[in-house]
Amino acid sequence: MSGNMNLTLKVWRQKNSNTPGKFVTYKASEISPDMSFLEMLDVVNEDMVKKSEDPIQFDHDCREGICGMCSLVINGEPHGPKRATTTCQLHMRSFNDNDTIVIEPWRAAAFPVVKDLSVNRSAFDRIQQAGGYVSVGTGGVPDANEIAIPKVIADEAFNSAECIGCGACVAACKNASAMLFVSAKVSQYALLPQGQPERYSRAEAMVLQMDEEGFGGCTNTYACEAQCPKEIKVTNIARMNRDFFVAEFIKS
């Protein structure tokens, strides 16, 4: 016996954001358990191309769990059933022979569907452009050991900077909130000396842009943290809220 699997896929097909979509059923045959989820979709698409059918469109790039492009909701869970795993790093051995797998795009008003499983996440780019950078002059690059940063603080800043901007937090949240993403991008600077001059204005600008993009509010369900492939912590949200309130207090 080959040990390969036969699967039923229920895939969301949608021509564009202005056209109603629907689930379409496909069969995936002789799928190796060692394939990644995206490789499985490649096999399905190759078969569709041979039949002169329109292949399923989905986002992908590095396929190494780094870029955050592989935005799929699999059986109701962003990035699938494995914790701390992106879709491209999810392997078919996580499923069983004859399983039915439901595949959808991120569902949020701020992430309009481009086609099928691909969504437009440029809202995240605009939030970053609103304040996710250091613009003040910092002089020449000093030796690493000249800036005394406690290891616990450096580690926390690095953990926040691990956010890959995939949008799983938005897809997991019942309110389609982007608070975890924004707070991670705020925190990675708020914890370091280089980020202090613009700390409060940065938090204010990014939160206001987030609201303008149409993301929902946070109601502390922790679904974002549970589904984040990089395990970003909700403590970042508390830090961002504090910095935002300080910014508003300074203004008033």
Side-chain angles (χ1 to χ4, degrees):
M1 296 178 65
S2 65
N4 290 343
M5 300 184 293
N6 296 312
L7 304 165
T8 299
L9 308 180
K10 292 183 180 294
V11 182
W12 184 259
R13 303 302 307 265
Q14 186 171 347
K15 187 176 181 180
N16 53 53
S17 59
N18 299 319
T19 304
K22 64 179 181 179
F23 283 105
V24 178
T25 301
Y26 300 96
K27 295 294 183 181
S29 303
E30 291 298 308
I31 299 300
S32 169
D34 296 325
M35 285 183 181
S36 73
F37 199 88
L38 297 188
E39 287 173 328
M40 179 275 293
L41 288 178
D42 288 338
V43 170
V44 173
N45 275 345
E46 287 173 4
D47 186 56
M48 294 175 68
V49 169
K50 290 176 182 177
K51 298 175 181 177
S52 298
E53 297 177 4
D54 186 25
I56 301 163
Q57 180 167 313
F58 58 93
D59 291 326
H60 64 95
D61 192 3
C62 73
R63 300 202 178 199
E64 295 178 348
I66 298 171
C67 71
M69 288 294 290
C70 51
S71 49
L72 300 180
V73 175
I74 303 166
N75 287 343
E77 297 187 77
H79 291 299
K82 300 281 284 187
R83 297 284 75 84
T85 303
T86 54
T87 299
C88 64
Q89 295 291 289
L90 176 68
H91 288 83
M92 298 311 298
R93 53 180 169 265
S94 298
F95 303 91
N96 299 311
D97 189 25
N98 295 317
D99 270 359
T100 296
I101 304 175
V102 180
I103 311 171
E104 306 170 69
W106 287 172
R107 295 194 183 276
F111 289 160
V113 171
V114 176
K115 183 180 179 182
D116 297 338
L117 304 174
S118 178
V119 300
N120 183 344
R121 285 171 290 180
S122 59
F124 272 8
D125 297 330
R126 291 188 290 272
I127 293 171
Q128 282 278 79
Q129 291 162 5
Y133 50 83
V134 173
S135 64
V136 297
T138 58
V141 180
D143 290 338
N145 292 333
E146 288 188 10
I147 302 178
I149 302 174
K151 185 177 185 304
V152 64
I153 299 297
D155 286 346
E156 191 169 353
F158 181 80
N159 291 339
S160 298
E162 280 192 298
C163 171
I164 57 178
C166 67
C169 51
V170 177
C173 179
K174 65 180 182 179
N175 304 318
S177 173
M179 292 284 275
L180 191 67
F181 164 77
V182 178
S183 65
K185 297 305 178 183
V186 166
S187 291
Q188 69 185 52
Y189 296 111
L191 290 162
L192 298 176
Q194 295 91 334
Q196 297 309 307
E198 300 169 298
R199 176 171 181 171
Y200 302 115
S201 61
R202 175 184 300 111
E204 180 185 41
M206 295 181 74
V207 168
L208 292 178
Q209 185 64 40
M210 174 185 67
D211 290 342
E212 185 176 327
E213 295 295 339
F215 292 102
C218 175
T219 49
N220 296 311
T221 64
Y222 286 41
C224 54
E225 181 180 295
Q227 298 293 157
C228 177
K230 296 302 177 181
E231 299 184 297
I232 305 298
K233 302 300 181 185
V234 295
T235 50
N236 288 306
I237 297 178
R239 181 180 298 109
M240 182 187 71
N241 285 337
R242 183 172 62 248
D243 286 359
F244 179 81
F245 290 140
V246 170
E248 293 299 296
F249 177 77
I250 292 171
K251 285 175 60 178
S252 63

mmCIF file of all heavy atoms in Angstrom, residues 148-172:
data_model
loop_
_atom_site.group_PDB
_atom_site.id
_atom_site.type_symbol
_atom_site.label_atom_id
_atom_site.label_comp_id
_atom_site.label_asym_id
_atom_site.label_seq_id
_atom_site.Cartn_x
_atom_site.Cartn_y
_atom_site.Cartn_z
ATOM 1 N N ALA A 148 23.037 49.522 26.629
ATOM 2 C CA ALA A 148 22.704 48.525 27.651
ATOM 3 C C ALA A 148 21.195 48.279 27.679
ATOM 4 O O ALA A 148 20.423 49.138 28.111
ATOM 5 C CB ALA A 148 23.187 48.989 29.017
ATOM 6 N N ILE A 149 20.800 47.131 27.185
ATOM 7 C CA ILE A 149 19.393 46.737 27.189
ATOM 8 C C ILE A 149 19.301 45.406 27.931
ATOM 9 O O ILE A 149 19.937 44.426 27.525
ATOM 10 C CB ILE A 149 18.842 46.568 25.759
ATOM 11 C CG1 ILE A 149 19.007 47.859 24.966
ATOM 12 C CG2 ILE A 149 17.381 46.149 25.790
ATOM 13 C CD1 ILE A 149 18.621 47.741 23.514
ATOM 14 N N PRO A 150 18.540 45.348 29.011
ATOM 15 C CA PRO A 150 18.410 44.077 29.747
ATOM 16 C C PRO A 150 17.928 42.963 28.816
ATOM 17 O O PRO A 150 17.095 43.192 27.934
ATOM 18 C CB PRO A 150 17.376 44.397 30.823
ATOM 19 C CG PRO A 150 17.453 45.869 30.986
ATOM 20 C CD PRO A 150 17.775 46.435 29.633
ATOM 21 N N LYS A 151 18.446 41.774 29.019
ATOM 22 C CA LYS A 151 18.110 40.665 28.125
ATOM 23 C C LYS A 151 16.614 40.397 28.081
ATOM 24 O O LYS A 151 16.054 40.102 27.023
ATOM 25 C CB LYS A 151 18.841 39.391 28.544
ATOM 26 C CG LYS A 151 18.626 38.233 27.578
ATOM 27 C CD LYS A 151 19.416 37.005 27.972
ATOM 28 C CE LYS A 151 19.284 35.906 26.920
ATOM 29 N NZ LYS A 151 17.896 35.522 26.639
ATOM 30 N N VAL A 152 15.944 40.504 29.221
ATOM 31 C CA VAL A 152 14.514 40.217 29.251
ATOM 32 C C VAL A 152 13.754 41.204 28.364
ATOM 33 O O VAL A 152 12.773 40.835 27.699
ATOM 34 C CB VAL A 152 13.975 40.240 30.699
ATOM 35 C CG1 VAL A 152 14.096 41.633 31.319
ATOM 36 C CG2 VAL A 152 12.534 39.767 30.743
ATOM 37 N N ILE A 153 14.200 42.464 28.323
ATOM 38 C CA ILE A 153 13.566 43.474 27.475
ATOM 39 C C ILE A 153 13.897 43.214 26.010
ATOM 40 O O ILE A 153 13.020 43.289 25.130
ATOM 41 C CB ILE A 153 14.007 44.887 27.885
ATOM 42 C CG1 ILE A 153 13.609 45.183 29.332
ATOM 43 C CG2 ILE A 153 13.429 45.925 26.934
ATOM 44 C CD1 ILE A 153 12.113 45.167 29.567
ATOM 45 N N ALA A 154 15.151 42.910 25.727
ATOM 46 C CA ALA A 154 15.556 42.620 24.359
ATOM 47 C C ALA A 154 14.804 41.416 23.809
ATOM 48 O O ALA A 154 14.370 41.407 22.647
ATOM 49 C CB ALA A 154 17.064 42.381 24.294
ATOM 50 N N ASP A 155 14.645 40.400 24.643
ATOM 51 C CA ASP A 155 13.920 39.203 24.206
ATOM 52 C C ASP A 155 12.460 39.522 23.913
ATOM 53 O O ASP A 155 11.885 39.034 22.933
ATOM 54 C CB ASP A 155 13.998 38.114 25.286
ATOM 55 C CG ASP A 155 15.372 37.468 25.360
ATOM 56 O OD1 ASP A 155 16.175 37.664 24.421
ATOM 57 O OD2 ASP A 155 15.634 36.748 26.347
ATOM 58 N N GLU A 156 11.849 40.368 24.748
ATOM 59 C CA GLU A 156 10.442 40.713 24.549
ATOM 60 C C GLU A 156 10.259 41.530 23.269
ATOM 61 O O GLU A 156 9.300 41.335 22.523
ATOM 62 C CB GLU A 156 9.913 41.479 25.757
ATOM 63 C CG GLU A 156 8.395 41.633 25.745
ATOM 64 C CD GLU A 156 7.840 42.148 27.058
ATOM 65 O OE1 GLU A 156 8.605 42.266 28.030
ATOM 66 O OE2 GLU A 156 6.629 42.435 27.096
ATOM 67 N N ALA A 157 11.202 42.435 23.006
ATOM 68 C CA ALA A 157 11.139 43.223 21.774
ATOM 69 C C ALA A 157 11.300 42.323 20.557
ATOM 70 O O ALA A 157 10.599 42.476 19.544
ATOM 71 C CB ALA A 157 12.224 44.300 21.782
ATOM 72 N N PHE A 158 12.212 41.363 20.651
ATOM 73 C CA PHE A 158 12.424 40.429 19.546
ATOM 74 C C PHE A 158 11.185 39.574 19.319
ATOM 75 O O PHE A 158 10.790 39.334 18.166
ATOM 76 C CB PHE A 158 13.629 39.533 19.832
ATOM 77 C CG PHE A 158 13.924 38.553 18.733
ATOM 78 C CD1 PHE A 158 14.612 38.939 17.598
ATOM 79 C CD2 PHE A 158 13.495 37.228 18.819
ATOM 80 C CE1 PHE A 158 14.874 38.043 16.572
ATOM 81 C CE2 PHE A 158 13.744 36.324 17.803
ATOM 82 C CZ PHE A 158 14.446 36.742 16.671
ATOM 83 N N ASN A 159 10.566 39.118 20.403
ATOM 84 C CA ASN A 159 9.352 38.303 20.268
ATOM 85 C C ASN A 159 8.241 39.079 19.574
ATOM 86 O O ASN A 159 7.489 38.523 18.762
ATOM 87 C CB ASN A 159 8.884 37.818 21.643
ATOM 88 C CG ASN A 159 9.823 36.789 22.254
ATOM 89 O OD1 ASN A 159 10.591 36.138 21.544
ATOM 90 N ND2 ASN A 159 9.778 36.643 23.566
ATOM 91 N N SER A 160 8.120 40.367 19.882
ATOM 92 C CA SER A 160 7.112 41.200 19.220
ATOM 93 C C SER A 160 7.446 41.383 17.742
ATOM 94 O O SER A 160 6.557 41.372 16.888
ATOM 95 C CB SER A 160 7.023 42.564 19.910
ATOM 96 O OG SER A 160 6.628 42.427 21.254
ATOM 97 N N ALA A 161 8.733 41.546 17.454
ATOM 98 C CA ALA A 161 9.171 41.769 16.077
ATOM 99 C C ALA A 161 9.018 40.524 15.207
ATOM 100 O O ALA A 161 9.107 40.619 13.981
ATOM 101 C CB ALA A 161 10.627 42.234 16.057
ATOM 102 N N GLU A 162 8.764 39.375 15.831
ATOM 103 C CA GLU A 162 8.572 38.150 15.067
ATOM 104 C C GLU A 162 7.263 38.134 14.283
ATOM 105 O O GLU A 162 7.081 37.295 13.398
ATOM 106 C CB GLU A 162 8.617 36.933 15.991
ATOM 107 C CG GLU A 162 10.010 36.494 16.373
ATOM 108 C CD GLU A 162 10.006 35.119 17.034
ATOM 109 O OE1 GLU A 162 9.376 34.985 18.104
ATOM 110 O OE2 GLU A 162 10.610 34.190 16.472
ATOM 111 N N CYS A 163 6.343 39.053 14.601
ATOM 112 C CA CYS A 163 5.075 39.109 13.869
ATOM 113 C C CYS A 163 5.332 39.218 12.375
ATOM 114 O O CYS A 163 6.078 40.086 11.916
ATOM 115 C CB CYS A 163 4.253 40.306 14.350
ATOM 116 S SG CYS A 163 2.784 40.639 13.346
ATOM 117 N N ILE A 164 4.722 38.329 11.590
ATOM 118 C CA ILE A 164 4.936 38.296 10.145
ATOM 119 C C ILE A 164 3.798 38.961 9.369
ATOM 120 O O ILE A 164 3.790 38.946 8.138
ATOM 121 C CB ILE A 164 5.146 36.856 9.637
ATOM 122 C CG1 ILE A 164 3.954 35.962 10.024
ATOM 123 C CG2 ILE A 164 6.456 36.282 10.159
ATOM 124 C CD1 ILE A 164 4.060 34.530 9.507
ATOM 125 N N GLY A 165 2.845 39.538 10.086
ATOM 126 C CA GLY A 165 1.777 40.269 9.423
ATOM 127 C C GLY A 165 0.895 39.424 8.530
ATOM 128 O O GLY A 165 0.394 39.905 7.511
ATOM 129 N N CYS A 166 0.675 38.183 8.923
ATOM 130 C CA CYS A 166 -0.120 37.283 8.077
ATOM 131 C C CYS A 166 -1.609 37.597 8.134
ATOM 132 O O CYS A 166 -2.344 37.352 7.178
ATOM 133 C CB CYS A 166 0.124 35.828 8.471
ATOM 134 S SG CYS A 166 -0.479 35.373 10.123
ATOM 135 N N GLY A 167 -2.079 38.130 9.267
ATOM 136 C CA GLY A 167 -3.497 38.446 9.421
ATOM 137 C C GLY A 167 -4.313 37.358 10.074
ATOM 138 O O GLY A 167 -5.547 37.464 10.144
ATOM 139 N N ALA A 168 -3.663 36.310 10.586
ATOM 140 C CA ALA A 168 -4.410 35.237 11.258
ATOM 141 C C ALA A 168 -5.163 35.764 12.468
ATOM 142 O O ALA A 168 -6.252 35.282 12.792
ATOM 143 C CB ALA A 168 -3.460 34.117 11.680
ATOM 144 N N CYS A 169 -4.596 36.777 13.141
ATOM 145 C CA CYS A 169 -5.266 37.354 14.305
ATOM 146 C C CYS A 169 -6.599 37.983 13.903
ATOM 147 O O CYS A 169 -7.596 37.864 14.621
ATOM 148 C CB CYS A 169 -4.365 38.380 14.976
ATOM 149 S SG CYS A 169 -3.680 39.642 13.873
ATOM 150 N N VAL A 170 -6.613 38.632 12.749
ATOM 151 C CA VAL A 170 -7.844 39.246 12.246
ATOM 152 C C VAL A 170 -8.861 38.165 11.885
ATOM 153 O O VAL A 170 -10.045 38.260 12.212
ATOM 154 C CB VAL A 170 -7.548 40.135 11.027
ATOM 155 C CG1 VAL A 170 -8.838 40.710 10.451
ATOM 156 C CG2 VAL A 170 -6.589 41.253 11.397
ATOM 157 N N ALA A 171 -8.385 37.127 11.202
ATOM 158 C CA ALA A 171 -9.277 36.046 10.773
ATOM 159 C C ALA A 171 -9.847 35.273 11.955
ATOM 160 O O ALA A 171 -10.973 34.772 11.892
ATOM 161 C CB ALA A 171 -8.528 35.096 9.844
ATOM 162 N N ALA A 172 -9.092 35.176 13.042
ATOM 163 C CA ALA A 172 -9.543 34.422 14.216
ATOM 164 C C ALA A 172 -10.514 35.212 15.080
ATOM 165 O O ALA A 172 -11.345 34.627 15.778
ATOM 166 C CB ALA A 172 -8.340 34.000 15.058
#
